Amino acid sequence: MFKKVLIANRGEIAVRIARACRELGVRAVAVYSDVDRASLHVRMADEAYGIGPAPSRESYLVIEKILGVARFADCDAIHPGYGFLAENPALARACVEAGVTFIGPSAAAMEQLGSKTAARQIARAVGTPTVPGTLDPINSVDEATEIAREIGFPVILKAVAGGGGKGMRSVASEGELASAWRDATSEAQNAFGDARVYLEKYLERPRHIEIQVLADQHGHFVYLGERECSVQRRHQKVIEEAPSPIMTAELRKAMGEAALKLARAGNYTNAGTVEFLVDAQRNFYFLEMNTRLQVEHPVTEIVTSLDLVKLQMRIAAGEPLPLCQEDIALRGHAIECRIYAEDPDNNFFPSPGKILDCGVPTGPGIRLDEGIYAGWTVPNEYDPMLGKLIAWGRDRKEALARLGRALEEYYASGIKTNVSLFRRILASRDFREGAIYTRWLDDFLSAAPTTENRDGNEDTATEQAAAIAAFLWHTSHALGASASETLAIPESKWKTEGRREQVDREP
Ligand code: MV4
């Protein structure tokens, strides 16, 4: 095992990796930008080094700075986390040259499987199903029309360089193709500097289901079941769960084996995720591969009882996988909420700032992966994710009940958070029934308030009352009051107003 690992990241994932290091008896080295000097990941590490100004282009994204620290601090490995340099083959390559182990796949595997078009070609070659459509970019509207007629409408145009839904247009009929072509190509040009698009059959209301895979350096591959990630807002995941509410043992096996075929063909090593779209008939289609540890890895950890970060480190250190496919058993149900410093009442606008106080949910079946503390200021230079709240239950129903309960215990005052969004989602009939698809949340949020009410959302007054009750609970709890006192109606107008002011700081 390594002696010292550099964590080339910040926030909750850097904290998560530091915890794995601690458990393995490995020293954890943090890096931080000027605005992260007092961040939790720095406090959790054994050593920490400044790497420059707040903008990530001048700090967390500068390979030479990261490797400079690795050399100076005599680290034997680098864990990139997710985002930043995690899927940049240049870092993996620079590590090889510097004699430092990159905790992740090889640069070559990253290039092959991390590229959408290259991965699609590999998928076709090995028989992992892909959405019907072209493999190569299309040169003209006429060519697009011809292909669309062949595969049948509706179709979807996607940017070759695509990501985050940019340069993507669905086309219902031939009459819409020309304008969709103009929109998709110009958006792709603006976003990626690459106007090329390709065409696929458009799937209506598909689910986004991904398979977690692990591969060691000795040719052993396993899949760790799936994660259902259909609840997304503007192509950002909001809630993830394992298992998927629609999964069957047969489908899991078929998708798992399809994912491993792809991983094997790309000589993949370490942890990776294979994304699929799944239609209403449970047909699945390969979408893309993520060659990193993902934000939502905890739901898989919980239902498999495995520690993915420690396994990543063991694999990178050359150890063989300590388990084979038959050893992997799934137990219960886990659901994760991504908690952001953003204002759900103001179009989810980021809400960085100083956290005055925060409440940490605990109790049966609860896990909180956070990178914050009371008194810390959420910087505005980075993604404003504060952490992830994850609930486990013996079944989905119990997991949902625990998640709802833990969300009531969660608060971060001084900033806005998106916690009220989860209360709304958990209260909706569609979500409770698992009737979700990739555009479900966007549809849900743009639906008229009457629809939302019919779906079982609490009205504002109820929600306010609940928030006040939660606040009272915290206040009295801190003072050691009894349960009956916590529900007492405030007797003084001053107290009521004071409490209301506090509550208003919460989402
Ligand atoms: C699709 C699709 C329907 N049919 N492809 C969006 C992001 C990109 N990675 C793939 N995406 C989609 N591709 C076909 N042929 C619907 C989506 C899609 C989506 C996919 C995953 C998660 C959220 C999504 C939200 C809207 C659309």
Side-chain angles (χ1 to χ4, degrees):
M1 186 38 66
F2 309 115
K3 288 193 170 59
K4 229 189 210 189
V5 168
L6 185 150
I7 302 164
N9 217 300
R10 62 177 301 283
E12 69 86 21
I13 196 61
V15 171
R16 168 73 189 87
I17 296 161
R19 285 178 168 143
C21 290
R22 243 323 110 73
E23 289 177 31
L24 288 173
V26 173
R27 282 179 74 82
V29 175
V31 291
Y32 59 90
S33 74
D34 291 347
V35 290
D36 270 332
R37 192 172 290 271
S39 291
L40 188 61
H41 76 282
V42 174
R43 298 188 172 192
M44 298 270 298
D46 296 295
E47 293 169 39
Y49 298 89
I51 50 166
S56 48
R57 302 208 159 278
E58 299 171 50
S59 48
Y60 296 106
L61 287 172
V62 184
I63 293 174
E64 299 75 50
K65 288 189 176 180
I66 303 291
L67 276 171
V69 171
R71 269 191 289 263
F72 181 82
D74 201 20
C75 299
D76 26 36
I78 295 179
H79 196 306
Y82 54 69
F84 295 127
L85 293 167
E87 292 177 280
N88 189 334
L91 175 62
R93 209 157 263 136
C95 282
V96 173
E97 280 159 26
V100 178
T101 302
F102 177 77
I103 302 174
S106 69
M110 219 186 265
E111 271 160 355
Q112 284 221 294
L113 291 172
S115 146
K116 266 190 200 177
T117 42
R120 258 165 73 91
Q121 310 240 17
I122 296 172
R124 289 255 169 114
V126 300
T128 291
T130 55
V131 185
T134 59
L135 280 179
D136 298 316
I138 301 163
N139 297 309
S140 67
V141 188
D142 288 346
E143 195 187 335
T145 310
E146 201 178 303
I147 298 164
R149 276 185 193 153
E150 249 168 63
I151 64 176
F153 287 90
V155 296
I156 184 168
L157 294 166
K158 289 185 178 181
V160 169
K166 290 215 179 77
M168 206 171 83
R169 286 289 182 286
S170 60
V171 192
S173 62
E174 195 167 323
E176 292 174 19
L177 192 55
S179 78
W181 171 271
R182 280 192 300 273
D183 291 348
T185 51
S186 74
E187 199 172 291
Q189 179 64 42
N190 286 335
F192 314 111
D194 179 351
R196 293 176 302 157
V197 296
Y198 63 97
L199 189 145
E200 283 180 354
K201 177 84 185 166
Y202 179 67
L203 305 172
E204 316 238 19
R205 301 191 164 201
R207 285 166 181 267
H208 172 128
I209 299 177
E210 56 189 33
I211 303 286
Q212 176 72 55
V213 304
L214 283 179
D216 66 16
Q217 297 182 51
H218 312 278
H220 304 127
F221 291 76
V222 292
Y223 59 89
L224 305 182
E226 76 285 357
R227 293 184 288 259
E228 163 81 62
C229 303
S230 297
V231 180
Q232 307 200 358
R233 192 184 151 270
R234 298 188 180 169
H235 302 287
Q236 287 278 3
K237 291 167 189 159
V238 169
I239 295 181
E240 306 95 353
E241 60 185 295
S244 164
I246 62 143
M247 194 50 63
T248 62
E250 299 73 49
L251 181 60
R252 180 175 295 126
K253 188 162 191 274
M255 290 179 72
E257 283 171 2
L260 291 193
K261 254 200 281 188
L262 189 81
R264 273 202 189 91
N267 289 318
Y268 199 78
T269 51
N270 218 286
T273 298
V274 184
E275 293 186 357
F276 294 96
L277 291 176
V278 181
D279 70 16
Q281 289 74 45
R282 291 198 175 90
N283 297 306
F284 60 90
Y285 307 94
F286 168 68
L287 208 54
E288 58 192 81
M289 181 157 185
N290 300 314
T291 60
R292 59 164 192 275
L293 180 74
Q294 288 193 272
V295 176
E296 60 272 27
H297 75 277
V299 294
T300 299
E301 293 192 316
I302 292 172
V303 298
T304 58
S305 323
L306 295 171
D307 185 317
L308 285 175
V309 181
K310 287 199 282 191
L311 284 165
Q312 282 192 296
M313 289 170 64
R314 290 190 187 285
I315 288 167
E319 293 181 25
L321 274 176
L323 64 161
C324 58
Q325 194 62 50
E326 294 72 50
D327 300 330
I328 291 153
L330 304 180
R331 185 171 150 268
H333 201 101
I335 310 179
E336 173 181 282
C337 290
R338 294 192 188 187
I339 299 175
Y340 276 87
E342 60 184 23
D343 184 1
D345 298 323
N346 184 19
N347 208 20
F348 297 92
F349 203 76
S351 172
K354 185 166 180 174
I355 297 168
L356 301 177
D357 190 14
C358 52
V360 179
T362 53
I366 295 303
R367 167 171 166 181
L368 184 68
D369 279 25
E370 265 192 332
I372 70 169
Y373 60 85
W376 180 68
T377 300
V378 184
N380 53 29
E381 281 82 1
Y382 313 108
D383 179 276
M385 192 176 78
L386 300 172
K388 294 126 39 176
L389 177 62
I390 310 115
W392 178 87
R394 289 201 314 182
D395 52 27
R396 189 170 189 266
K397 197 168 166 237
E398 189 180 42
L400 279 171
R402 282 179 168 163
L403 186 59
R405 183 269 295 168
L407 282 165
E408 287 169 27
E409 293 179 23
Y410 187 92
Y411 69 94
S413 61
I415 55 166
K416 298 274 197 328
T417 76
N418 63 343
V419 166
S420 65
L421 171 68
F422 300 118
R423 296 203 187 103
R424 288 181 64 196
I425 294 171
L426 261 59
S428 79
R429 187 184 305 157
D430 284 348
F431 186 76
R432 284 200 308 266
E433 291 174 356
I436 44 179
Y437 51 93
T438 48
R439 283 188 46 223
W440 176 80
L441 184 56
D442 292 316
D443 289 350
F444 178 69
L445 291 175
S446 58
T450 49
T451 317
E452 290 175 4
N453 286 338
R454 195 193 58 221
D455 263 353
N457 275 298
E458 297 154 308
D459 63 37
T460 319
T462 315
E463 210 157 38
Q464 269 176 7
I468 290 167
F471 180 74
L472 288 174
W473 184 88
H474 285 295
T475 312
S476 50
H477 181 79
L479 299 171
S482 74
S484 60
E485 279 171 312
T486 65
L487 296 172
I489 293 156
E491 64 287 5
S492 132
K493 238 185 167 352
W494 285 108
K495 273 190 192 167
T496 315
E497 282 312 305
R499 279 163 184 161
R500 200 179 292 283
E501 241 179 69
Q502 292 286 345
V503 166
D504 280 347
R505 289 222 192 99
E506 293 185 48

